[in-house]
Amino acid sequence: MTQESIFEESSGNVFADLGLEDAEELYARGKIGIQVLRLLKQRNLKQREISEILGISQPEVCHLMKGEFQRFSEGKLLIFLKRLDMEIILHLRHKHGEHQSNETVISL
């Protein structure tokens, strides 16, 4: 008897797939946090240096480097990107692509 594998197609957001109430927020934090990690790893900085650049304590740096993005708000993660000399551009539009003429771009 062979057992057939059962697969479920992902929505693209693992947190939503798990049924978490704050799935969109967690997904956004994860996407931003990964960018912060990539930049930090490219610079090959020590935790003390990261702490100084980002303005957070060394224990917070440890959490960040372990990918514990839920400990930081989206705003805080965006501040980290700015402190790493990144320009942040927000592209605002209706969720389902309606009214494309009403799109707005904000540079921070």
Side-chain angles (χ1 to χ4, degrees):
M1 173 185 247
T2 60
Q3 192 171 20
E4 196 173 316
S5 297
I6 299 173
F7 295 95
E8 188 173 318
E9 190 171 334
S10 172
S11 69
N13 180 340
V14 67
F15 303 108
D17 294 343
L18 292 171
L20 299 178
E21 191 173 307
D22 53 351
E24 292 294 324
E25 183 179 330
L26 291 168
Y27 185 68
R29 286 182 193 185
K31 287 179 79 169
I32 299 166
I34 287 169
Q35 294 304 313
V36 172
L37 280 183
R38 284 183 182 155
L39 291 168
L40 292 171
K41 288 181 180 189
Q42 285 173 0
R43 294 182 185 199
N44 201 28
L45 301 168
K46 297 183 183 341
Q47 285 198 6
R48 178 186 46 80
E49 296 169 311
I50 294 170
S51 174
E52 291 172 10
I53 291 169
L54 299 184
I56 59 176
S57 69
Q58 204 144 351
E60 288 178 302
V61 171
C62 188
H63 292 301
L64 179 66
M65 299 308 287
K66 286 194 244 176
E68 297 175 5
F69 307 128
Q70 76 280 6
R71 293 179 169 268
F72 305 94
S73 68
E74 292 98 332
K76 188 75 165 180
L77 291 166
L78 290 172
I79 289 170
F80 295 164
L81 288 175
K82 288 185 67 85
R83 290 182 178 164
L84 292 167
D85 299 321
M86 296 301 294
E87 178 182 19
I88 299 166
I89 299 173
L90 299 176
H91 187 142
L92 308 175
R93 67 173 182 235
H94 287 275
K95 190 171 186 175
H96 301 290
E98 302 166 6
H99 311 291
Q100 291 188 4
S101 61
N102 292 336
E103 292 184 12
T104 304
V105 176
I106 302 169
S107 179
L108 304 174

PDB file of all heavy atoms in Angstrom, residues 1-37:
ATOM      1  N   MET A   1       0.850  -1.180   0.000  1.00  0.00           N
ATOM      2  CA  MET A   1       0.000   0.000   0.000  1.00  0.00           C
ATOM      3  C   MET A   1       0.896   1.245   0.000  1.00  0.00           C
ATOM      4  O   MET A   1       1.735   1.407   0.870  1.00  0.00           O
ATOM      5  CB  MET A   1      -0.896  -0.031   1.236  1.00  0.00           C
ATOM      6  CG  MET A   1      -1.682   1.226   1.422  1.00  0.00           C
ATOM      7  SD  MET A   1      -2.618   1.198   2.952  1.00  0.00           S
ATOM      8  CE  MET A   1      -4.241   1.142   2.312  1.00  0.00           C
ATOM      9  N   THR A   2       0.714   2.091  -0.993  1.00  0.00           N
ATOM     10  CA  THR A   2       1.477   3.330  -1.045  1.00  0.00           C
ATOM     11  C   THR A   2       0.625   4.458  -0.507  1.00  0.00           C
ATOM     12  O   THR A   2      -0.583   4.512  -0.733  1.00  0.00           O
ATOM     13  CB  THR A   2       1.914   3.652  -2.485  1.00  0.00           C
ATOM     14  OG1 THR A   2       0.759   3.777  -3.294  1.00  0.00           O
ATOM     15  CG2 THR A   2       2.854   2.599  -3.021  1.00  0.00           C
ATOM     16  N   GLN A   3       1.284   5.341   0.184  1.00  0.00           N
ATOM     17  CA  GLN A   3       0.572   6.466   0.763  1.00  0.00           C
ATOM     18  C   GLN A   3       0.742   7.666  -0.157  1.00  0.00           C
ATOM     19  O   GLN A   3       1.856   8.009  -0.542  1.00  0.00           O
ATOM     20  CB  GLN A   3       1.114   6.773   2.152  1.00  0.00           C
ATOM     21  CG  GLN A   3       0.254   7.716   2.928  1.00  0.00           C
ATOM     22  CD  GLN A   3       0.726   7.807   4.374  1.00  0.00           C
ATOM     23  OE1 GLN A   3       1.855   7.472   4.687  1.00  0.00           O
ATOM     24  NE2 GLN A   3      -0.137   8.256   5.235  1.00  0.00           N
ATOM     25  N   GLU A   4      -0.349   8.299  -0.509  1.00  0.00           N
ATOM     26  CA  GLU A   4      -0.328   9.430  -1.404  1.00  0.00           C
ATOM     27  C   GLU A   4      -0.059  10.696  -0.604  1.00  0.00           C
ATOM     28  O   GLU A   4      -0.659  10.930   0.443  1.00  0.00           O
ATOM     29  CB  GLU A   4      -1.679   9.540  -2.114  1.00  0.00           C
ATOM     30  CG  GLU A   4      -1.632  10.428  -3.317  1.00  0.00           C
ATOM     31  CD  GLU A   4      -2.941  10.357  -4.084  1.00  0.00           C
ATOM     32  OE1 GLU A   4      -3.461   9.240  -4.268  1.00  0.00           O
ATOM     33  OE2 GLU A   4      -3.422  11.416  -4.474  1.00  0.00           O
ATOM     34  N   SER A   5       0.873  11.501  -1.095  1.00  0.00           N
ATOM     35  CA  SER A   5       1.189  12.763  -0.426  1.00  0.00           C
ATOM     36  C   SER A   5       0.062  13.761  -0.644  1.00  0.00           C
ATOM     37  O   SER A   5      -0.522  13.831  -1.726  1.00  0.00           O
ATOM     38  CB  SER A   5       2.492  13.343  -0.969  1.00  0.00           C
ATOM     39  OG  SER A   5       3.562  12.479  -0.707  1.00  0.00           O
ATOM     40  N   ILE A   6      -0.216  14.526   0.368  1.00  0.00           N
ATOM     41  CA  ILE A   6      -1.242  15.562   0.273  1.00  0.00           C
ATOM     42  C   ILE A   6      -0.551  16.913   0.356  1.00  0.00           C
ATOM     43  O   ILE A   6       0.191  17.184   1.300  1.00  0.00           O
ATOM     44  CB  ILE A   6      -2.274  15.428   1.409  1.00  0.00           C
ATOM     45  CG1 ILE A   6      -2.973  14.079   1.320  1.00  0.00           C
ATOM     46  CG2 ILE A   6      -3.275  16.560   1.345  1.00  0.00           C
ATOM     47  CD1 ILE A   6      -3.890  13.785   2.479  1.00  0.00           C
ATOM     48  N   PHE A   7      -0.796  17.726  -0.651  1.00  0.00           N
ATOM     49  CA  PHE A   7      -0.211  19.053  -0.696  1.00  0.00           C
ATOM     50  C   PHE A   7      -1.332  20.080  -0.726  1.00  0.00           C
ATOM     51  O   PHE A   7      -2.380  19.856  -1.322  1.00  0.00           O
ATOM     52  CB  PHE A   7       0.658  19.234  -1.950  1.00  0.00           C
ATOM     53  CG  PHE A   7       1.859  18.347  -1.961  1.00  0.00           C
ATOM     54  CD1 PHE A   7       1.835  17.127  -2.608  1.00  0.00           C
ATOM     55  CD2 PHE A   7       3.017  18.730  -1.312  1.00  0.00           C
ATOM     56  CE1 PHE A   7       2.939  16.302  -2.626  1.00  0.00           C
ATOM     57  CE2 PHE A   7       4.130  17.913  -1.310  1.00  0.00           C
ATOM     58  CZ  PHE A   7       4.091  16.696  -1.973  1.00  0.00           C
ATOM     59  N   GLU A   8      -1.066  21.198  -0.105  1.00  0.00           N
ATOM     60  CA  GLU A   8      -2.023  22.294  -0.131  1.00  0.00           C
ATOM     61  C   GLU A   8      -1.312  23.502  -0.714  1.00  0.00           C
ATOM     62  O   GLU A   8      -0.199  23.846  -0.297  1.00  0.00           O
ATOM     63  CB  GLU A   8      -2.496  22.606   1.299  1.00  0.00           C
ATOM     64  CG  GLU A   8      -3.618  23.603   1.345  1.00  0.00           C
ATOM     65  CD  GLU A   8      -4.162  23.764   2.754  1.00  0.00           C
ATOM     66  OE1 GLU A   8      -4.317  22.744   3.455  1.00  0.00           O
ATOM     67  OE2 GLU A   8      -4.409  24.912   3.139  1.00  0.00           O
ATOM     68  N   GLU A   9      -1.925  24.138  -1.691  1.00  0.00           N
ATOM     69  CA  GLU A   9      -1.312  25.292  -2.331  1.00  0.00           C
ATOM     70  C   GLU A   9      -1.308  26.471  -1.368  1.00  0.00           C
ATOM     71  O   GLU A   9      -2.304  26.757  -0.700  1.00  0.00           O
ATOM     72  CB  GLU A   9      -2.081  25.664  -3.601  1.00  0.00           C
ATOM     73  CG  GLU A   9      -1.356  26.688  -4.431  1.00  0.00           C
ATOM     74  CD  GLU A   9      -1.994  26.892  -5.790  1.00  0.00           C
ATOM     75  OE1 GLU A   9      -2.654  25.956  -6.284  1.00  0.00           O
ATOM     76  OE2 GLU A   9      -1.823  27.981  -6.340  1.00  0.00           O
ATOM     77  N   SER A  10      -0.179  27.160  -1.313  1.00  0.00           N
ATOM     78  CA  SER A  10      -0.020  28.296  -0.412  1.00  0.00           C
ATOM     79  C   SER A  10      -0.667  29.547  -0.993  1.00  0.00           C
ATOM     80  O   SER A  10      -0.725  29.729  -2.201  1.00  0.00           O
ATOM     81  CB  SER A  10       1.473  28.576  -0.184  1.00  0.00           C
ATOM     82  OG  SER A  10       1.646  29.773   0.540  1.00  0.00           O
ATOM     83  N   SER A  11      -1.110  30.405  -0.113  1.00  0.00           N
ATOM     84  CA  SER A  11      -1.660  31.692  -0.525  1.00  0.00           C
ATOM     85  C   SER A  11      -0.542  32.684  -0.830  1.00  0.00           C
ATOM     86  O   SER A  11      -0.784  33.759  -1.348  1.00  0.00           O
ATOM     87  CB  SER A  11      -2.535  32.261   0.595  1.00  0.00           C
ATOM     88  OG  SER A  11      -1.727  32.632   1.711  1.00  0.00           O
ATOM     89  N   GLY A  12       0.703  32.314  -0.465  1.00  0.00           N
ATOM     90  CA  GLY A  12       1.824  33.243  -0.597  1.00  0.00           C
ATOM     91  C   GLY A  12       2.184  33.883   0.739  1.00  0.00           C
ATOM     92  O   GLY A  12       3.215  34.511   0.880  1.00  0.00           O
ATOM     93  N   ASN A  13       1.316  33.744   1.710  1.00  0.00           N
ATOM     94  CA  ASN A  13       1.552  34.274   3.050  1.00  0.00           C
ATOM     95  C   ASN A  13       1.415  33.114   4.028  1.00  0.00           C
ATOM     96  O   ASN A  13       0.308  32.685   4.357  1.00  0.00           O
ATOM     97  CB  ASN A  13       0.555  35.391   3.379  1.00  0.00           C
ATOM     98  CG  ASN A  13       0.741  35.978   4.763  1.00  0.00           C
ATOM     99  OD1 ASN A  13       1.349  35.371   5.637  1.00  0.00           O
ATOM    100  ND2 ASN A  13       0.207  37.155   4.987  1.00  0.00           N
ATOM    101  N   VAL A  14       2.544  32.601   4.500  1.00  0.00           N
ATOM    102  CA  VAL A  14       2.540  31.443   5.391  1.00  0.00           C
ATOM    103  C   VAL A  14       1.754  31.716   6.666  1.00  0.00           C
ATOM    104  O   VAL A  14       1.111  30.826   7.213  1.00  0.00           O
ATOM    105  CB  VAL A  14       3.979  30.977   5.706  1.00  0.00           C
ATOM    106  CG1 VAL A  14       4.732  32.003   6.536  1.00  0.00           C
ATOM    107  CG2 VAL A  14       3.972  29.640   6.399  1.00  0.00           C
ATOM    108  N   PHE A  15       1.756  32.964   7.128  1.00  0.00           N
ATOM    109  CA  PHE A  15       1.035  33.302   8.357  1.00  0.00           C
ATOM    110  C   PHE A  15      -0.482  33.192   8.143  1.00  0.00           C
ATOM    111  O   PHE A  15      -1.206  32.737   9.020  1.00  0.00           O
ATOM    112  CB  PHE A  15       1.424  34.701   8.832  1.00  0.00           C
ATOM    113  CG  PHE A  15       2.901  34.852   9.048  1.00  0.00           C
ATOM    114  CD1 PHE A  15       3.683  35.596   8.174  1.00  0.00           C
ATOM    115  CD2 PHE A  15       3.533  34.224  10.114  1.00  0.00           C
ATOM    116  CE1 PHE A  15       5.052  35.716   8.357  1.00  0.00           C
ATOM    117  CE2 PHE A  15       4.899  34.333  10.313  1.00  0.00           C
ATOM    118  CZ  PHE A  15       5.659  35.085   9.433  1.00  0.00           C
ATOM    119  N   ALA A  16      -0.950  33.589   6.960  1.00  0.00           N
ATOM    120  CA  ALA A  16      -2.370  33.440   6.625  1.00  0.00           C
ATOM    121  C   ALA A  16      -2.711  31.965   6.482  1.00  0.00           C
ATOM    122  O   ALA A  16      -3.779  31.521   6.918  1.00  0.00           O
ATOM    123  CB  ALA A  16      -2.693  34.194   5.338  1.00  0.00           C
ATOM    124  N   ASP A  17      -1.806  31.210   5.863  1.00  0.00           N
ATOM    125  CA  ASP A  17      -2.031  29.769   5.698  1.00  0.00           C
ATOM    126  C   ASP A  17      -2.165  29.073   7.049  1.00  0.00           C
ATOM    127  O   ASP A  17      -2.876  28.077   7.170  1.00  0.00           O
ATOM    128  CB  ASP A  17      -0.894  29.130   4.895  1.00  0.00           C
ATOM    129  CG  ASP A  17      -0.844  29.631   3.459  1.00  0.00           C
ATOM    130  OD1 ASP A  17      -1.849  30.204   2.982  1.00  0.00           O
ATOM    131  OD2 ASP A  17       0.207  29.465   2.823  1.00  0.00           O
ATOM    132  N   LEU A  18      -1.478  29.604   8.050  1.00  0.00           N
ATOM    133  CA  LEU A  18      -1.556  29.030   9.395  1.00  0.00           C
ATOM    134  C   LEU A  18      -2.777  29.534  10.169  1.00  0.00           C
ATOM    135  O   LEU A  18      -3.034  29.107  11.291  1.00  0.00           O
ATOM    136  CB  LEU A  18      -0.283  29.360  10.189  1.00  0.00           C
ATOM    137  CG  LEU A  18       0.991  28.679   9.698  1.00  0.00           C
ATOM    138  CD1 LEU A  18       2.210  29.246  10.412  1.00  0.00           C
ATOM    139  CD2 LEU A  18       0.900  27.168   9.891  1.00  0.00           C
ATOM    140  N   GLY A  19      -3.502  30.486   9.558  1.00  0.00           N
ATOM    141  CA  GLY A  19      -4.718  30.998  10.179  1.00  0.00           C
ATOM    142  C   GLY A  19      -4.473  32.024  11.271  1.00  0.00           C
ATOM    143  O   GLY A  19      -5.345  32.239  12.121  1.00  0.00           O
ATOM    144  N   LEU A  20      -3.309  32.676  11.261  1.00  0.00           N
ATOM    145  CA  LEU A  20      -3.013  33.667  12.290  1.00  0.00           C
ATOM    146  C   LEU A  20      -3.796  34.954  12.040  1.00  0.00           C
ATOM    147  O   LEU A  20      -3.932  35.395  10.899  1.00  0.00           O
ATOM    148  CB  LEU A  20      -1.514  33.964  12.333  1.00  0.00           C
ATOM    149  CG  LEU A  20      -0.627  32.760  12.666  1.00  0.00           C
ATOM    150  CD1 LEU A  20       0.839  33.154  12.643  1.00  0.00           C
ATOM    151  CD2 LEU A  20      -0.991  32.173  14.017  1.00  0.00           C
ATOM    152  N   GLU A  21      -4.293  35.526  13.110  1.00  0.00           N
ATOM    153  CA  GLU A  21      -5.145  36.708  13.023  1.00  0.00           C
ATOM    154  C   GLU A  21      -4.420  37.912  12.428  1.00  0.00           C
ATOM    155  O   GLU A  21      -4.992  38.671  11.654  1.00  0.00           O
ATOM    156  CB  GLU A  21      -5.659  37.048  14.431  1.00  0.00           C
ATOM    157  CG  GLU A  21      -6.748  38.079  14.444  1.00  0.00           C
ATOM    158  CD  GLU A  21      -7.324  38.238  15.839  1.00  0.00           C
ATOM    159  OE1 GLU A  21      -7.724  37.219  16.428  1.00  0.00           O
ATOM    160  OE2 GLU A  21      -7.362  39.381  16.316  1.00  0.00           O
ATOM    161  N   ASP A  22      -3.158  38.096  12.774  1.00  0.00           N
ATOM    162  CA  ASP A  22      -2.382  39.251  12.308  1.00  0.00           C
ATOM    163  C   ASP A  22      -1.428  38.870  11.171  1.00  0.00           C
ATOM    164  O   ASP A  22      -0.314  39.373  11.076  1.00  0.00           O
ATOM    165  CB  ASP A  22      -1.625  39.884  13.470  1.00  0.00           C
ATOM    166  CG  ASP A  22      -0.767  38.889  14.242  1.00  0.00           C
ATOM    167  OD1 ASP A  22      -0.884  37.672  13.980  1.00  0.00           O
ATOM    168  OD2 ASP A  22       0.010  39.320  15.096  1.00  0.00           O
ATOM    169  N   ALA A  23      -1.894  38.015  10.284  1.00  0.00           N
ATOM    170  CA  ALA A  23      -1.059  37.456   9.220  1.00  0.00           C
ATOM    171  C   ALA A  23      -0.458  38.516   8.304  1.00  0.00           C
ATOM    172  O   ALA A  23       0.727  38.445   7.960  1.00  0.00           O
ATOM    173  CB  ALA A  23      -1.870  36.456   8.400  1.00  0.00           C
ATOM    174  N   GLU A  24      -1.244  39.493   7.905  1.00  0.00           N
ATOM    175  CA  GLU A  24      -0.741  40.530   6.988  1.00  0.00           C
ATOM    176  C   GLU A  24       0.386  41.332   7.636  1.00  0.00           C
ATOM    177  O   GLU A  24       1.395  41.636   7.008  1.00  0.00           O
ATOM    178  CB  GLU A  24      -1.874  41.463   6.552  1.00  0.00           C
ATOM    179  CG  GLU A  24      -2.906  40.802   5.671  1.00  0.00           C
ATOM    180  CD  GLU A  24      -2.358  40.371   4.315  1.00  0.00           C
ATOM    181  OE1 GLU A  24      -1.500  41.077   3.758  1.00  0.00           O
ATOM    182  OE2 GLU A  24      -2.784  39.311   3.825  1.00  0.00           O
ATOM    183  N   GLU A  25       0.213  41.661   8.902  1.00  0.00           N
ATOM    184  CA  GLU A  25       1.218  42.423   9.642  1.00  0.00           C
ATOM    185  C   GLU A  25       2.505  41.612   9.789  1.00  0.00           C
ATOM    186  O   GLU A  25       3.610  42.119   9.573  1.00  0.00           O
ATOM    187  CB  GLU A  25       0.663  42.807  11.012  1.00  0.00           C
ATOM    188  CG  GLU A  25       1.586  43.663  11.839  1.00  0.00           C
ATOM    189  CD  GLU A  25       0.969  44.023  13.181  1.00  0.00           C
ATOM    190  OE1 GLU A  25      -0.265  44.132  13.271  1.00  0.00           O
ATOM    191  OE2 GLU A  25       1.745  44.182  14.130  1.00  0.00           O
ATOM    192  N   LEU A  26       2.378  40.356  10.148  1.00  0.00           N
ATOM    193  CA  LEU A  26       3.549  39.490  10.303  1.00  0.00           C
ATOM    194  C   LEU A  26       4.284  39.310   8.973  1.00  0.00           C
ATOM    195  O   LEU A  26       5.516  39.304   8.930  1.00  0.00           O
ATOM    196  CB  LEU A  26       3.141  38.130  10.872  1.00  0.00           C
ATOM    197  CG  LEU A  26       2.668  38.138  12.321  1.00  0.00           C
ATOM    198  CD1 LEU A  26       2.023  36.802  12.675  1.00  0.00           C
ATOM    199  CD2 LEU A  26       3.815  38.462  13.261  1.00  0.00           C
ATOM    200  N   TYR A  27       3.523  39.177   7.896  1.00  0.00           N
ATOM    201  CA  TYR A  27       4.117  39.020   6.571  1.00  0.00           C
ATOM    202  C   TYR A  27       4.897  40.285   6.179  1.00  0.00           C
ATOM    203  O   TYR A  27       6.024  40.199   5.686  1.00  0.00           O
ATOM    204  CB  TYR A  27       3.015  38.719   5.556  1.00  0.00           C
ATOM    205  CG  TYR A  27       3.517  38.430   4.169  1.00  0.00           C
ATOM    206  CD1 TYR A  27       4.243  37.281   3.899  1.00  0.00           C
ATOM    207  CD2 TYR A  27       3.256  39.303   3.117  1.00  0.00           C
ATOM    208  CE1 TYR A  27       4.698  37.000   2.622  1.00  0.00           C
ATOM    209  CE2 TYR A  27       3.706  39.037   1.843  1.00  0.00           C
ATOM    210  CZ  TYR A  27       4.423  37.887   1.599  1.00  0.00           C
ATOM    211  OH  TYR A  27       4.880  37.618   0.339  1.00  0.00           O
ATOM    212  N   ALA A  28       4.312  41.447   6.438  1.00  0.00           N
ATOM    213  CA  ALA A  28       4.985  42.713   6.128  1.00  0.00           C
ATOM    214  C   ALA A  28       6.272  42.850   6.945  1.00  0.00           C
ATOM    215  O   ALA A  28       7.321  43.219   6.410  1.00  0.00           O
ATOM    216  CB  ALA A  28       4.051  43.888   6.408  1.00  0.00           C
ATOM    217  N   ARG A  29       6.200  42.546   8.228  1.00  0.00           N
ATOM    218  CA  ARG A  29       7.396  42.609   9.076  1.00  0.00           C
ATOM    219  C   ARG A  29       8.482  41.670   8.556  1.00  0.00           C
ATOM    220  O   ARG A  29       9.657  42.025   8.540  1.00  0.00           O
ATOM    221  CB  ARG A  29       7.069  42.220  10.516  1.00  0.00           C
ATOM    222  CG  ARG A  29       6.311  43.255  11.264  1.00  0.00           C
ATOM    223  CD  ARG A  29       6.083  42.788  12.677  1.00  0.00           C
ATOM    224  NE  ARG A  29       5.100  43.631  13.328  1.00  0.00           N
ATOM    225  CZ  ARG A  29       4.768  43.508  14.599  1.00  0.00           C
ATOM    226  NH1 ARG A  29       5.325  42.584  15.343  1.00  0.00           N
ATOM    227  NH2 ARG A  29       3.874  44.303  15.123  1.00  0.00           N
ATOM    228  N   GLY A  30       8.083  40.493   8.156  1.00  0.00           N
ATOM    229  CA  GLY A  30       9.041  39.527   7.632  1.00  0.00           C
ATOM    230  C   GLY A  30       9.729  40.024   6.373  1.00  0.00           C
ATOM    231  O   GLY A  30      10.947  39.916   6.232  1.00  0.00           O
ATOM    232  N   LYS A  31       8.961  40.594   5.455  1.00  0.00           N
ATOM    233  CA  LYS A  31       9.538  41.090   4.203  1.00  0.00           C
ATOM    234  C   LYS A  31      10.519  42.238   4.459  1.00  0.00           C
ATOM    235  O   LYS A  31      11.594  42.286   3.871  1.00  0.00           O
ATOM    236  CB  LYS A  31       8.431  41.532   3.248  1.00  0.00           C
ATOM    237  CG  LYS A  31       7.674  40.353   2.651  1.00  0.00           C
ATOM    238  CD  LYS A  31       6.569  40.802   1.742  1.00  0.00           C
ATOM    239  CE  LYS A  31       7.140  41.188   0.397  1.00  0.00           C
ATOM    240  NZ  LYS A  31       6.099  41.391  -0.626  1.00  0.00           N
ATOM    241  N   ILE A  32      10.132  43.156   5.345  1.00  0.00           N
ATOM    242  CA  ILE A  32      11.011  44.285   5.660  1.00  0.00           C
ATOM    243  C   ILE A  32      12.226  43.788   6.439  1.00  0.00           C
ATOM    244  O   ILE A  32      13.361  44.186   6.159  1.00  0.00           O
ATOM    245  CB  ILE A  32      10.252  45.365   6.474  1.00  0.00           C
ATOM    246  CG1 ILE A  32       9.079  45.914   5.664  1.00  0.00           C
ATOM    247  CG2 ILE A  32      11.204  46.494   6.867  1.00  0.00           C
ATOM    248  CD1 ILE A  32       8.087  46.717   6.490  1.00  0.00           C
ATOM    249  N   GLY A  33      11.998  42.927   7.412  1.00  0.00           N
ATOM    250  CA  GLY A  33      13.082  42.407   8.244  1.00  0.00           C
ATOM    251  C   GLY A  33      14.139  41.677   7.437  1.00  0.00           C
ATOM    252  O   GLY A  33      15.344  41.815   7.690  1.00  0.00           O
ATOM    253  N   ILE A  34      13.721  40.917   6.455  1.00  0.00           N
ATOM    254  CA  ILE A  34      14.681  40.201   5.610  1.00  0.00           C
ATOM    255  C   ILE A  34      15.577  41.178   4.856  1.00  0.00           C
ATOM    256  O   ILE A  34      16.780  40.943   4.716  1.00  0.00           O
ATOM    257  CB  ILE A  34      13.937  39.247   4.648  1.00  0.00           C
ATOM    258  CG1 ILE A  34      13.409  38.056   5.450  1.00  0.00           C
ATOM    259  CG2 ILE A  34      14.839  38.780   3.510  1.00  0.00           C
ATOM    260  CD1 ILE A  34      12.437  37.178   4.696  1.00  0.00           C
ATOM    261  N   GLN A  35      15.017  42.291   4.411  1.00  0.00           N
ATOM    262  CA  GLN A  35      15.836  43.302   3.731  1.00  0.00           C
ATOM    263  C   GLN A  35      16.866  43.893   4.689  1.00  0.00           C
ATOM    264  O   GLN A  35      18.015  44.126   4.312  1.00  0.00           O
ATOM    265  CB  GLN A  35      14.952  44.409   3.144  1.00  0.00           C
ATOM    266  CG  GLN A  35      14.057  43.933   2.019  1.00  0.00           C
ATOM    267  CD  GLN A  35      14.840  43.276   0.895  1.00  0.00           C
ATOM    268  OE1 GLN A  35      15.857  43.787   0.431  1.00  0.00           O
ATOM    269  NE2 GLN A  35      14.373  42.116   0.472  1.00  0.00           N
ATOM    270  N   VAL A  36      16.446  44.153   5.923  1.00  0.00           N
ATOM    271  CA  VAL A  36      17.381  44.677   6.934  1.00  0.00           C
ATOM    272  C   VAL A  36      18.517  43.673   7.140  1.00  0.00           C
ATOM    273  O   VAL A  36      19.698  44.044   7.134  1.00  0.00           O
ATOM    274  CB  VAL A  36      16.653  44.969   8.271  1.00  0.00           C
ATOM    275  CG1 VAL A  36      17.654  45.315   9.369  1.00  0.00           C
ATOM    276  CG2 VAL A  36      15.631  46.089   8.096  1.00  0.00           C
ATOM    277  N   LEU A  37      18.167  42.400   7.313  1.00  0.00           N
ATOM    278  CA  LEU A  37      19.195  41.362   7.514  1.00  0.00           C
ATOM    279  C   LEU A  37      20.163  41.283   6.339  1.00  0.00           C
ATOM    280  O   LEU A  37      21.374  41.153   6.539  1.00  0.00           O
ATOM    281  CB  LEU A  37      18.547  39.996   7.721  1.00  0.00           C
ATOM    282  CG  LEU A  37      18.009  39.684   9.103  1.00  0.00           C
ATOM    283  CD1 LEU A  37      17.473  38.257   9.145  1.00  0.00           C
ATOM    284  CD2 LEU A  37      19.056  39.883  10.172  1.00  0.00           C
TER     285      LEU A  37
END
